[in-house]
PDB file of all heavy atoms in Angstrom:
ATOM      1  N   GLY K   1      -1.510  -1.157  -0.743  1.00 86.00           N
ATOM      2  CA  GLY K   1      -0.412  -0.195  -0.656  1.00 86.00           C
ATOM      3  C   GLY K   1       0.858  -0.820  -0.117  1.00 86.00           C
ATOM      4  O   GLY K   1       1.955  -0.582  -0.641  1.00 86.00           O
ATOM      5  N   PHE K   2       0.735  -1.644   0.927  1.00 89.00           N
ATOM      6  CA  PHE K   2       1.926  -2.282   1.504  1.00 89.00           C
ATOM      7  C   PHE K   2       2.437  -3.421   0.622  1.00 89.00           C
ATOM      8  O   PHE K   2       3.638  -3.706   0.605  1.00 89.00           O
ATOM      9  CB  PHE K   2       1.614  -2.784   2.916  1.00 89.00           C
ATOM     10  CG  PHE K   2       1.570  -1.667   3.930  1.00 89.00           C
ATOM     11  CD1 PHE K   2       0.364  -1.185   4.403  1.00 89.00           C
ATOM     12  CD2 PHE K   2       2.738  -1.083   4.387  1.00 89.00           C
ATOM     13  CE1 PHE K   2       0.317  -0.142   5.315  1.00 89.00           C
ATOM     14  CE2 PHE K   2       2.715  -0.048   5.300  1.00 89.00           C
ATOM     15  CZ  PHE K   2       1.490   0.438   5.772  1.00 89.00           C
ATOM     16  N   TYR K   3       1.526  -4.065  -0.094  1.00 90.00           N
ATOM     17  CA  TYR K   3       1.929  -5.097  -1.067  1.00 90.00           C
ATOM     18  C   TYR K   3       2.775  -4.461  -2.163  1.00 90.00           C
ATOM     19  O   TYR K   3       3.838  -4.973  -2.529  1.00 90.00           O
ATOM     20  CB  TYR K   3       0.672  -5.747  -1.644  1.00 90.00           C
ATOM     21  CG  TYR K   3       0.886  -6.723  -2.771  1.00 90.00           C
ATOM     22  CD1 TYR K   3       1.932  -7.649  -2.762  1.00 90.00           C
ATOM     23  CD2 TYR K   3       0.019  -6.742  -3.864  1.00 90.00           C
ATOM     24  CE1 TYR K   3       2.104  -8.555  -3.793  1.00 90.00           C
ATOM     25  CE2 TYR K   3       0.175  -7.652  -4.898  1.00 90.00           C
ATOM     26  CZ  TYR K   3       1.223  -8.553  -4.853  1.00 90.00           C
ATOM     27  OH  TYR K   3       1.392  -9.458  -5.886  1.00 90.00           O
ATOM     28  N   TRP K   4       2.338  -3.337  -2.673  1.00 91.00           N
ATOM     29  CA  TRP K   4       3.103  -2.632  -3.703  1.00 91.00           C
ATOM     30  C   TRP K   4       4.435  -2.126  -3.150  1.00 91.00           C
ATOM     31  O   TRP K   4       5.433  -2.088  -3.857  1.00 91.00           O
ATOM     32  CB  TRP K   4       2.284  -1.474  -4.263  1.00 91.00           C
ATOM     33  CG  TRP K   4       1.174  -1.902  -5.161  1.00 91.00           C
ATOM     34  CD1 TRP K   4       0.748  -3.190  -5.384  1.00 91.00           C
ATOM     35  CD2 TRP K   4       0.338  -1.072  -5.964  1.00 91.00           C
ATOM     36  NE1 TRP K   4      -0.301  -3.205  -6.265  1.00 91.00           N
ATOM     37  CE2 TRP K   4      -0.574  -1.926  -6.646  1.00 91.00           C
ATOM     38  CE3 TRP K   4       0.264   0.294  -6.178  1.00 91.00           C
ATOM     39  CZ2 TRP K   4      -1.545  -1.429  -7.521  1.00 91.00           C
ATOM     40  CZ3 TRP K   4      -0.699   0.799  -7.048  1.00 91.00           C
ATOM     41  CH2 TRP K   4      -1.579  -0.057  -7.706  1.00 91.00           C
ATOM     42  N   LEU K   5       4.432  -1.744  -1.874  1.00 93.00           N
ATOM     43  CA  LEU K   5       5.677  -1.285  -1.258  1.00 93.00           C
ATOM     44  C   LEU K   5       6.719  -2.398  -1.262  1.00 93.00           C
ATOM     45  O   LEU K   5       7.903  -2.160  -1.520  1.00 93.00           O
ATOM     46  CB  LEU K   5       5.419  -0.811   0.175  1.00 93.00           C
ATOM     47  CG  LEU K   5       6.636  -0.283   0.923  1.00 93.00           C
ATOM     48  CD1 LEU K   5       7.142   1.024   0.305  1.00 93.00           C
ATOM     49  CD2 LEU K   5       6.300  -0.058   2.402  1.00 93.00           C
ATOM     50  N   ARG K   6       6.285  -3.622  -0.981  1.00 93.00           N
ATOM     51  CA  ARG K   6       7.202  -4.765  -1.030  1.00 93.00           C
ATOM     52  C   ARG K   6       7.770  -4.946  -2.439  1.00 93.00           C
ATOM     53  O   ARG K   6       8.929  -5.315  -2.614  1.00 93.00           O
ATOM     54  CB  ARG K   6       6.473  -6.044  -0.602  1.00 93.00           C
ATOM     55  CG  ARG K   6       6.097  -6.082   0.859  1.00 93.00           C
ATOM     56  CD  ARG K   6       7.305  -6.252   1.740  1.00 93.00           C
ATOM     57  NE  ARG K   6       6.946  -6.422   3.125  1.00 93.00           N
ATOM     58  CZ  ARG K   6       7.514  -7.304   3.939  1.00 93.00           C
ATOM     59  NH1 ARG K   6       8.464  -8.084   3.483  1.00 93.00           N
ATOM     60  NH2 ARG K   6       7.132  -7.387   5.193  1.00 93.00           N
ATOM     61  N   LYS K   7       6.945  -4.671  -3.437  1.00 94.00           N
ATOM     62  CA  LYS K   7       7.426  -4.747  -4.809  1.00 94.00           C
ATOM     63  C   LYS K   7       8.462  -3.661  -5.081  1.00 94.00           C
ATOM     64  O   LYS K   7       9.466  -3.900  -5.770  1.00 94.00           O
ATOM     65  CB  LYS K   7       6.248  -4.613  -5.783  1.00 94.00           C
ATOM     66  CG  LYS K   7       5.258  -5.770  -5.720  1.00 94.00           C
ATOM     67  CD  LYS K   7       4.185  -5.628  -6.800  1.00 94.00           C
ATOM     68  CE  LYS K   7       3.258  -6.838  -6.813  1.00 94.00           C
ATOM     69  NZ  LYS K   7       2.307  -6.826  -7.937  1.00 94.00           N
ATOM     70  N   VAL K   8       8.219  -2.469  -4.546  1.00 95.00           N
ATOM     71  CA  VAL K   8       9.189  -1.376  -4.689  1.00 95.00           C
ATOM     72  C   VAL K   8      10.520  -1.781  -4.065  1.00 95.00           C
ATOM     73  O   VAL K   8      11.586  -1.593  -4.671  1.00 95.00           O
ATOM     74  CB  VAL K   8       8.649  -0.089  -4.034  1.00 95.00           C
ATOM     75  CG1 VAL K   8       9.743   0.984  -3.958  1.00 95.00           C
ATOM     76  CG2 VAL K   8       7.452   0.450  -4.810  1.00 95.00           C
ATOM     77  N   PHE K   9      10.472  -2.342  -2.863  1.00 96.00           N
ATOM     78  CA  PHE K   9      11.703  -2.795  -2.201  1.00 96.00           C
ATOM     79  C   PHE K   9      12.433  -3.836  -3.046  1.00 96.00           C
ATOM     80  O   PHE K   9      13.667  -3.828  -3.131  1.00 96.00           O
ATOM     81  CB  PHE K   9      11.381  -3.383  -0.826  1.00 96.00           C
ATOM     82  CG  PHE K   9      10.968  -2.374   0.218  1.00 96.00           C
ATOM     83  CD1 PHE K   9      10.382  -2.787   1.401  1.00 96.00           C
ATOM     84  CD2 PHE K   9      11.157  -1.015   0.010  1.00 96.00           C
ATOM     85  CE1 PHE K   9       9.997  -1.878   2.377  1.00 96.00           C
ATOM     86  CE2 PHE K   9      10.770  -0.085   0.975  1.00 96.00           C
ATOM     87  CZ  PHE K   9      10.189  -0.524   2.166  1.00 96.00           C
ATOM     88  N   ALA K  10      11.675  -4.740  -3.649  1.00 95.00           N
ATOM     89  CA  ALA K  10      12.287  -5.802  -4.462  1.00 95.00           C
ATOM     90  C   ALA K  10      13.002  -5.214  -5.676  1.00 95.00           C
ATOM     91  O   ALA K  10      14.107  -5.636  -6.032  1.00 95.00           O
ATOM     92  CB  ALA K  10      11.230  -6.808  -4.910  1.00 95.00           C
ATOM     93  N   VAL K  11      12.365  -4.241  -6.328  1.00 96.00           N
ATOM     94  CA  VAL K  11      12.965  -3.615  -7.507  1.00 96.00           C
ATOM     95  C   VAL K  11      14.237  -2.855  -7.125  1.00 96.00           C
ATOM     96  O   VAL K  11      15.231  -2.868  -7.854  1.00 96.00           O
ATOM     97  CB  VAL K  11      11.952  -2.665  -8.183  1.00 96.00           C
ATOM     98  CG1 VAL K  11      12.627  -1.823  -9.266  1.00 96.00           C
ATOM     99  CG2 VAL K  11      10.797  -3.461  -8.780  1.00 96.00           C
ATOM    100  N   LEU K  12      14.231  -2.203  -5.957  1.00 97.00           N
ATOM    101  CA  LEU K  12      15.355  -1.369  -5.544  1.00 97.00           C
ATOM    102  C   LEU K  12      16.455  -2.150  -4.807  1.00 97.00           C
ATOM    103  O   LEU K  12      17.485  -1.572  -4.463  1.00 97.00           O
ATOM    104  CB  LEU K  12      14.865  -0.226  -4.654  1.00 97.00           C
ATOM    105  CG  LEU K  12      13.920   0.784  -5.321  1.00 97.00           C
ATOM    106  CD1 LEU K  12      13.502   1.853  -4.320  1.00 97.00           C
ATOM    107  CD2 LEU K  12      14.555   1.405  -6.546  1.00 97.00           C
ATOM    108  N   ASP K  13      16.230  -3.421  -4.589  1.00 96.00           N
ATOM    109  CA  ASP K  13      17.239  -4.232  -3.894  1.00 96.00           C
ATOM    110  C   ASP K  13      18.578  -4.182  -4.645  1.00 96.00           C
ATOM    111  O   ASP K  13      18.637  -4.475  -5.840  1.00 96.00           O
ATOM    112  CB  ASP K  13      16.758  -5.680  -3.794  1.00 96.00           C
ATOM    113  CG  ASP K  13      17.701  -6.554  -2.982  1.00 96.00           C
ATOM    114  OD1 ASP K  13      18.304  -6.046  -2.019  1.00 96.00           O
ATOM    115  OD2 ASP K  13      17.848  -7.734  -3.333  1.00 96.00           O
ATOM    116  N   GLY K  14      19.632  -3.778  -3.952  1.00 96.00           N
ATOM    117  CA  GLY K  14      20.957  -3.701  -4.559  1.00 96.00           C
ATOM    118  C   GLY K  14      21.212  -2.438  -5.354  1.00 96.00           C
ATOM    119  O   GLY K  14      22.235  -2.320  -6.033  1.00 96.00           O
ATOM    120  N   CYS K  15      20.291  -1.463  -5.280  1.00 96.00           N
ATOM    121  CA  CYS K  15      20.423  -0.258  -6.105  1.00 96.00           C
ATOM    122  C   CYS K  15      21.649   0.583  -5.752  1.00 96.00           C
ATOM    123  O   CYS K  15      22.116   1.384  -6.573  1.00 96.00           O
ATOM    124  CB  CYS K  15      19.165   0.596  -6.016  1.00 96.00           C
ATOM    125  SG  CYS K  15      18.765   1.186  -4.353  1.00 96.00           S
ATOM    126  N   GLN K  16      22.203   0.415  -4.549  1.00 97.00           N
ATOM    127  CA  GLN K  16      23.365   1.208  -4.151  1.00 97.00           C
ATOM    128  C   GLN K  16      24.698   0.510  -4.437  1.00 97.00           C
ATOM    129  O   GLN K  16      25.764   1.089  -4.192  1.00 97.00           O
ATOM    130  CB  GLN K  16      23.294   1.536  -2.652  1.00 97.00           C
ATOM    131  CG  GLN K  16      22.070   2.318  -2.231  1.00 97.00           C
ATOM    132  CD  GLN K  16      22.109   2.697  -0.759  1.00 97.00           C
ATOM    133  OE1 GLN K  16      23.059   3.325  -0.275  1.00 97.00           O
ATOM    134  NE2 GLN K  16      21.072   2.312  -0.021  1.00 97.00           N
ATOM    135  N   ASP K  17      24.634  -0.691  -4.976  1.00 96.00           N
ATOM    136  CA  ASP K  17      25.847  -1.497  -5.137  1.00 96.00           C
ATOM    137  C   ASP K  17      26.935  -0.805  -5.965  1.00 96.00           C
ATOM    138  O   ASP K  17      28.116  -0.936  -5.669  1.00 96.00           O
ATOM    139  CB  ASP K  17      25.503  -2.852  -5.779  1.00 96.00           C
ATOM    140  CG  ASP K  17      24.728  -3.758  -4.840  1.00 96.00           C
ATOM    141  OD1 ASP K  17      24.602  -3.406  -3.657  1.00 96.00           O
ATOM    142  OD2 ASP K  17      24.235  -4.811  -5.300  1.00 96.00           O
ATOM    143  N   GLY K  18      26.554  -0.084  -7.000  1.00 94.00           N
ATOM    144  CA  GLY K  18      27.554   0.513  -7.888  1.00 94.00           C
ATOM    145  C   GLY K  18      27.946   1.932  -7.540  1.00 94.00           C
ATOM    146  O   GLY K  18      28.681   2.578  -8.307  1.00 94.00           O
ATOM    147  N   VAL K  19      27.482   2.444  -6.406  1.00 97.00           N
ATOM    148  CA  VAL K  19      27.765   3.838  -6.039  1.00 97.00           C
ATOM    149  C   VAL K  19      29.221   3.996  -5.632  1.00 97.00           C
ATOM    150  O   VAL K  19      29.759   3.218  -4.837  1.00 97.00           O
ATOM    151  CB  VAL K  19      26.853   4.300  -4.887  1.00 97.00           C
ATOM    152  CG1 VAL K  19      27.238   5.703  -4.426  1.00 97.00           C
ATOM    153  CG2 VAL K  19      25.395   4.254  -5.320  1.00 97.00           C
ATOM    154  N   SER K  20      29.867   5.028  -6.154  1.00 97.00           N
ATOM    155  CA  SER K  20      31.258   5.333  -5.804  1.00 97.00           C
ATOM    156  C   SER K  20      31.368   6.820  -5.502  1.00 97.00           C
ATOM    157  O   SER K  20      31.102   7.665  -6.359  1.00 97.00           O
ATOM    158  CB  SER K  20      32.190   4.961  -6.973  1.00 97.00           C
ATOM    159  OG  SER K  20      33.533   5.251  -6.651  1.00 97.00           O
ATOM    160  N   LEU K  21      31.722   7.125  -4.274  1.00 97.00           N
ATOM    161  CA  LEU K  21      31.866   8.512  -3.825  1.00 97.00           C
ATOM    162  C   LEU K  21      33.333   8.921  -3.901  1.00 97.00           C
ATOM    163  O   LEU K  21      34.217   8.112  -3.640  1.00 97.00           O
ATOM    164  CB  LEU K  21      31.352   8.673  -2.397  1.00 97.00           C
ATOM    165  CG  LEU K  21      29.958   8.101  -2.094  1.00 97.00           C
ATOM    166  CD1 LEU K  21      29.624   8.280  -0.616  1.00 97.00           C
ATOM    167  CD2 LEU K  21      28.897   8.774  -2.955  1.00 97.00           C
ATOM    168  N   GLY K  22      33.579  10.189  -4.230  1.00 92.00           N
ATOM    169  CA  GLY K  22      34.982  10.574  -4.342  1.00 92.00           C
ATOM    170  C   GLY K  22      35.258  12.049  -4.182  1.00 92.00           C
ATOM    171  O   GLY K  22      34.341  12.862  -4.033  1.00 92.00           O
ATOM    172  N   GLU K  23      36.554  12.347  -4.190  1.00 94.00           N
ATOM    173  CA  GLU K  23      37.108  13.693  -4.033  1.00 94.00           C
ATOM    174  C   GLU K  23      36.874  14.194  -2.615  1.00 94.00           C
ATOM    175  O   GLU K  23      37.774  14.203  -1.806  1.00 94.00           O
ATOM    176  CB  GLU K  23      36.539  14.655  -5.081  1.00 94.00           C
ATOM    177  CG  GLU K  23      36.742  14.191  -6.530  1.00 94.00           C
ATOM    178  CD  GLU K  23      38.201  13.890  -6.847  1.00 94.00           C
ATOM    179  OE1 GLU K  23      39.109  14.556  -6.295  1.00 94.00           O
ATOM    180  OE2 GLU K  23      38.443  12.965  -7.648  1.00 94.00           O
ATOM    181  N   THR K  24      35.663  14.653  -2.292  1.00 97.00           N
ATOM    182  CA  THR K  24      35.336  15.095  -0.934  1.00 97.00           C
ATOM    183  C   THR K  24      34.081  14.371  -0.475  1.00 97.00           C
ATOM    184  O   THR K  24      33.044  14.429  -1.136  1.00 97.00           O
ATOM    185  CB  THR K  24      35.094  16.612  -0.883  1.00 97.00           C
ATOM    186  OG1 THR K  24      36.262  17.300  -1.342  1.00 97.00           O
ATOM    187  CG2 THR K  24      34.778  17.055   0.540  1.00 97.00           C
ATOM    188  N   VAL K  25      34.197  13.676   0.661  1.00 98.00           N
ATOM    189  CA  VAL K  25      33.089  12.859   1.159  1.00 98.00           C
ATOM    190  C   VAL K  25      32.783  13.230   2.601  1.00 98.00           C
ATOM    191  O   VAL K  25      33.689  13.304   3.434  1.00 98.00           O
ATOM    192  CB  VAL K  25      33.431  11.349   1.077  1.00 98.00           C
ATOM    193  CG1 VAL K  25      32.280  10.511   1.628  1.00 98.00           C
ATOM    194  CG2 VAL K  25      33.763  10.943  -0.351  1.00 98.00           C
ATOM    195  N   TRP K  26      31.506  13.486   2.878  1.00 98.00           N
ATOM    196  CA  TRP K  26      31.056  13.721   4.250  1.00 98.00           C
ATOM    197  C   TRP K  26      30.476  12.420   4.789  1.00 98.00           C
ATOM    198  O   TRP K  26      29.672  11.770   4.108  1.00 98.00           O
ATOM    199  CB  TRP K  26      29.979  14.803   4.278  1.00 98.00           C
ATOM    200  CG  TRP K  26      30.482  16.180   3.979  1.00 98.00           C
ATOM    201  CD1 TRP K  26      30.818  17.151   4.895  1.00 98.00           C
ATOM    202  CD2 TRP K  26      30.685  16.768   2.680  1.00 98.00           C
ATOM    203  NE1 TRP K  26      31.222  18.299   4.234  1.00 98.00           N
ATOM    204  CE2 TRP K  26      31.154  18.089   2.881  1.00 98.00           C
ATOM    205  CE3 TRP K  26      30.521  16.289   1.384  1.00 98.00           C
ATOM    206  CZ2 TRP K  26      31.453  18.945   1.818  1.00 98.00           C
ATOM    207  CZ3 TRP K  26      30.823  17.134   0.321  1.00 98.00           C
ATOM    208  CH2 TRP K  26      31.279  18.442   0.544  1.00 98.00           C
ATOM    209  N   LEU K  27      30.859  12.034   5.989  1.00 98.00           N
ATOM    210  CA  LEU K  27      30.436  10.748   6.559  1.00 98.00           C
ATOM    211  C   LEU K  27      30.027  10.923   8.013  1.00 98.00           C
ATOM    212  O   LEU K  27      30.695  11.615   8.784  1.00 98.00           O
ATOM    213  CB  LEU K  27      31.569   9.731   6.431  1.00 98.00           C
ATOM    214  CG  LEU K  27      31.313   8.289   6.890  1.00 98.00           C
ATOM    215  CD1 LEU K  27      32.165   7.312   6.081  1.00 98.00           C
ATOM    216  CD2 LEU K  27      31.615   8.100   8.383  1.00 98.00           C
ATOM    217  N   ASP K  28      28.936  10.285   8.389  1.00 97.00           N
ATOM    218  CA  ASP K  28      28.474  10.301   9.774  1.00 97.00           C
ATOM    219  C   ASP K  28      27.425   9.214   9.935  1.00 97.00           C
ATOM    220  O   ASP K  28      27.024   8.574   8.957  1.00 97.00           O
ATOM    221  CB  ASP K  28      27.892  11.668  10.135  1.00 97.00           C
ATOM    222  CG  ASP K  28      27.852  11.910  11.646  1.00 97.00           C
ATOM    223  OD1 ASP K  28      28.293  11.019  12.402  1.00 97.00           O
ATOM    224  OD2 ASP K  28      27.367  12.980  12.053  1.00 97.00           O
ATOM    225  N   GLU K  29      26.975   9.011  11.154  1.00 96.00           N
ATOM    226  CA  GLU K  29      25.914   8.046  11.424  1.00 96.00           C
ATOM    227  C   GLU K  29      24.701   8.780  11.990  1.00 96.00           C
ATOM    228  O   GLU K  29      24.825   9.799  12.661  1.00 96.00           O
ATOM    229  CB  GLU K  29      26.354   6.981  12.437  1.00 96.00           C
ATOM    230  CG  GLU K  29      27.471   6.080  11.961  1.00 96.00           C
ATOM    231  CD  GLU K  29      28.850   6.722  12.084  1.00 96.00           C
ATOM    232  OE1 GLU K  29      29.039   7.553  13.019  1.00 96.00           O
ATOM    233  OE2 GLU K  29      29.718   6.420  11.248  1.00 96.00           O
ATOM    234  N   THR K  30      23.533   8.242  11.695  1.00 95.00           N
ATOM    235  CA  THR K  30      22.317   8.661  12.369  1.00 95.00           C
ATOM    236  C   THR K  30      21.699   7.409  12.977  1.00 95.00           C
ATOM    237  O   THR K  30      22.174   6.294  12.707  1.00 95.00           O
ATOM    238  CB  THR K  30      21.349   9.361  11.395  1.00 95.00           C
ATOM    239  OG1 THR K  30      20.265   9.925  12.150  1.00 95.00           O
ATOM    240  CG2 THR K  30      20.805   8.404  10.345  1.00 95.00           C
ATOM    241  N   PHE K  31      20.675   7.571  13.788  1.00 94.00           N
ATOM    242  CA  PHE K  31      20.144   6.416  14.524  1.00 94.00           C
ATOM    243  C   PHE K  31      18.621   6.392  14.472  1.00 94.00           C
ATOM    244  O   PHE K  31      17.967   7.434  14.427  1.00 94.00           O
ATOM    245  CB  PHE K  31      20.596   6.467  15.989  1.00 94.00           C
ATOM    246  CG  PHE K  31      22.083   6.424  16.159  1.00 94.00           C
ATOM    247  CD1 PHE K  31      22.837   7.593  16.089  1.00 94.00           C
ATOM    248  CD2 PHE K  31      22.743   5.223  16.370  1.00 94.00           C
ATOM    249  CE1 PHE K  31      24.212   7.566  16.229  1.00 94.00           C
ATOM    250  CE2 PHE K  31      24.120   5.177  16.513  1.00 94.00           C
ATOM    251  CZ  PHE K  31      24.853   6.354  16.439  1.00 94.00           C
ATOM    252  N   VAL K  32      18.063   5.187  14.452  1.00 91.00           N
ATOM    253  CA  VAL K  32      16.623   4.996  14.586  1.00 91.00           C
ATOM    254  C   VAL K  32      16.390   4.032  15.746  1.00 91.00           C
ATOM    255  O   VAL K  32      17.253   3.212  16.078  1.00 91.00           O
ATOM    256  CB  VAL K  32      15.991   4.424  13.296  1.00 91.00           C
ATOM    257  CG1 VAL K  32      16.191   5.376  12.135  1.00 91.00           C
ATOM    258  CG2 VAL K  32      16.545   3.048  12.964  1.00 91.00           C
ATOM    259  N   SER K  33      15.236   4.149  16.354  1.00 88.00           N
ATOM    260  CA  SER K  33      14.899   3.265  17.467  1.00 88.00           C
ATOM    261  C   SER K  33      14.473   1.896  16.945  1.00 88.00           C
ATOM    262  O   SER K  33      13.943   1.774  15.846  1.00 88.00           O
ATOM    263  CB  SER K  33      13.765   3.867  18.298  1.00 88.00           C
ATOM    264  OG  SER K  33      14.146   5.107  18.847  1.00 88.00           O
ATOM    265  N   VAL K  34      14.709   0.876  17.733  1.00 83.00           N
ATOM    266  CA  VAL K  34      14.247  -0.462  17.369  1.00 83.00           C
ATOM    267  C   VAL K  34      12.729  -0.498  17.501  1.00 83.00           C
ATOM    268  O   VAL K  34      12.108   0.420  18.049  1.00 83.00           O
ATOM    269  CB  VAL K  34      14.889  -1.548  18.266  1.00 83.00           C
ATOM    270  CG1 VAL K  34      16.408  -1.531  18.150  1.00 83.00           C
ATOM    271  CG2 VAL K  34      14.474  -1.367  19.728  1.00 83.00           C
ATOM    272  N   ASP K  35      12.100  -1.560  16.981  1.00 72.00           N
ATOM    273  CA  ASP K  35      10.655  -1.688  17.112  1.00 72.00           C
ATOM    274  C   ASP K  35      10.249  -1.678  18.588  1.00 72.00           C
ATOM    275  O   ASP K  35      10.984  -2.203  19.446  1.00 72.00           O
ATOM    276  CB  ASP K  35      10.175  -2.995  16.464  1.00 72.00           C
ATOM    277  CG  ASP K  35      10.186  -2.919  14.944  1.00 72.00           C
ATOM    278  OD1 ASP K  35       9.780  -1.870  14.411  1.00 72.00           O
ATOM    279  OD2 ASP K  35      10.601  -3.903  14.303  1.00 72.00           O
ATOM    280  N   LYS K  36       9.096  -1.106  18.885  1.00 71.00           N
ATOM    281  CA  LYS K  36       8.655  -0.966  20.278  1.00 71.00           C
ATOM    282  C   LYS K  36       8.683  -2.269  21.071  1.00 71.00           C
ATOM    283  O   LYS K  36       9.134  -2.284  22.221  1.00 71.00           O
ATOM    284  CB  LYS K  36       7.259  -0.342  20.312  1.00 71.00           C
ATOM    285  CG  LYS K  36       7.257   1.150  20.007  1.00 71.00           C
ATOM    286  CD  LYS K  36       5.860   1.740  20.172  1.00 71.00           C
ATOM    287  CE  LYS K  36       5.895   3.246  19.904  1.00 71.00           C
ATOM    288  NZ  LYS K  36       4.544   3.863  20.065  1.00 71.00           N
ATOM    289  N   PRO K  37       8.212  -3.390  20.502  1.00 69.00           N
ATOM    290  CA  PRO K  37       8.229  -4.631  21.292  1.00 69.00           C
ATOM    291  C   PRO K  37       9.643  -5.098  21.666  1.00 69.00           C
ATOM    292  O   PRO K  37       9.806  -5.888  22.601  1.00 69.00           O
ATOM    293  CB  PRO K  37       7.553  -5.651  20.362  1.00 69.00           C
ATOM    294  CG  PRO K  37       6.741  -4.829  19.415  1.00 69.00           C
ATOM    295  CD  PRO K  37       7.545  -3.587  19.203  1.00 69.00           C
ATOM    296  N   ASP K  38      10.651  -4.618  20.934  1.00 69.00           N
ATOM    297  CA  ASP K  38      12.023  -5.064  21.161  1.00 69.00           C
ATOM    298  C   ASP K  38      12.812  -4.111  22.065  1.00 69.00           C
ATOM    299  O   ASP K  38      13.989  -4.365  22.356  1.00 69.00           O
ATOM    300  CB  ASP K  38      12.764  -5.201  19.823  1.00 69.00           C
ATOM    301  CG  ASP K  38      12.110  -6.215  18.905  1.00 69.00           C
ATOM    302  OD1 ASP K  38      11.569  -7.204  19.427  1.00 69.00           O
ATOM    303  OD2 ASP K  38      12.141  -6.021  17.678  1.00 69.00           O
ATOM    304  N   ARG K  39      12.193  -3.022  22.502  1.00 70.00           N
ATOM    305  CA  ARG K  39      12.929  -2.038  23.292  1.00 70.00           C
ATOM    306  C   ARG K  39      13.166  -2.516  24.715  1.00 70.00           C
ATOM    307  O   ARG K  39      12.285  -3.069  25.372  1.00 70.00           O
ATOM    308  CB  ARG K  39      12.192  -0.692  23.289  1.00 70.00           C
ATOM    309  CG  ARG K  39      12.200  -0.047  21.906  1.00 70.00           C
ATOM    310  CD  ARG K  39      11.418   1.246  21.856  1.00 70.00           C
ATOM    311  NE  ARG K  39      11.240   1.658  20.457  1.00 70.00           N
ATOM    312  CZ  ARG K  39      10.507   2.672  20.059  1.00 70.00           C
ATOM    313  NH1 ARG K  39       9.859   3.397  20.968  1.00 70.00           N
ATOM    314  NH2 ARG K  39      10.413   2.966  18.770  1.00 70.00           N
ATOM    315  N   VAL K  40      14.378  -2.286  25.174  1.00 72.00           N
ATOM    316  CA  VAL K  40      14.788  -2.680  26.526  1.00 72.00           C
ATOM    317  C   VAL K  40      14.506  -1.524  27.475  1.00 72.00           C
ATOM    318  O   VAL K  40      14.771  -0.355  27.154  1.00 72.00           O
ATOM    319  CB  VAL K  40      16.285  -3.027  26.550  1.00 72.00           C
ATOM    320  CG1 VAL K  40      16.726  -3.401  27.960  1.00 72.00           C
ATOM    321  CG2 VAL K  40      16.585  -4.166  25.570  1.00 72.00           C
ATOM    322  N   THR K  41      13.955  -1.827  28.631  1.00 69.00           N
ATOM    323  CA  THR K  41      13.657  -0.784  29.615  1.00 69.00           C
ATOM    324  C   THR K  41      14.325  -1.105  30.946  1.00 69.00           C
ATOM    325  O   THR K  41      14.653  -2.257  31.240  1.00 69.00           O
ATOM    326  CB  THR K  41      12.140  -0.643  29.839  1.00 69.00           C
ATOM    327  OG1 THR K  41      11.620  -1.901  30.336  1.00 69.00           O
ATOM    328  CG2 THR K  41      11.432  -0.293  28.539  1.00 69.00           C
ATOM    329  N   GLU K  42      14.516  -0.075  31.714  1.00 67.00           N
ATOM    330  CA  GLU K  42      15.003  -0.223  33.083  1.00 67.00           C
ATOM    331  C   GLU K  42      14.041   0.526  33.992  1.00 67.00           C
ATOM    332  O   GLU K  42      13.843   1.735  33.825  1.00 67.00           O
ATOM    333  CB  GLU K  42      16.414   0.351  33.216  1.00 67.00           C
ATOM    334  CG  GLU K  42      17.481  -0.490  32.538  1.00 67.00           C
ATOM    335  CD  GLU K  42      18.879   0.071  32.742  1.00 67.00           C
ATOM    336  OE1 GLU K  42      18.995   1.160  33.355  1.00 67.00           O
ATOM    337  OE2 GLU K  42      19.839  -0.576  32.295  1.00 67.00           O
TER     338      GLU K  42
END
């Protein structure tokens, strides 16, 4: 399943390159956490 997923990623690589948004565009950011081993703690 994960091997096939890598193939899916390869096929979709660059799929957004030709996208052009126009007239009215909504823009914002969302966030995801870094991998657990990389998280900084205090």
Side-chain angles (χ1 to χ4, degrees):
F2 284 103
Y3 173 41
W4 286 8
L5 181 67
R6 291 289 186 138
K7 294 185 176 187
V8 170
F9 289 166
V11 170
L12 296 179
D13 185 34
C15 61
Q16 300 184 55
D17 290 351
V19 175
S20 180
L21 310 177
E23 304 306 327
T24 301
V25 179
W26 290 263
L27 184 150
D28 200 1
E29 295 80 31
T30 189
F31 299 85
V32 299
S33 299
V34 300
D35 285 318
K36 285 185 178 180
D38 299 326
R39 292 177 192 174
V40 178
T41 61
E42 288 183 356

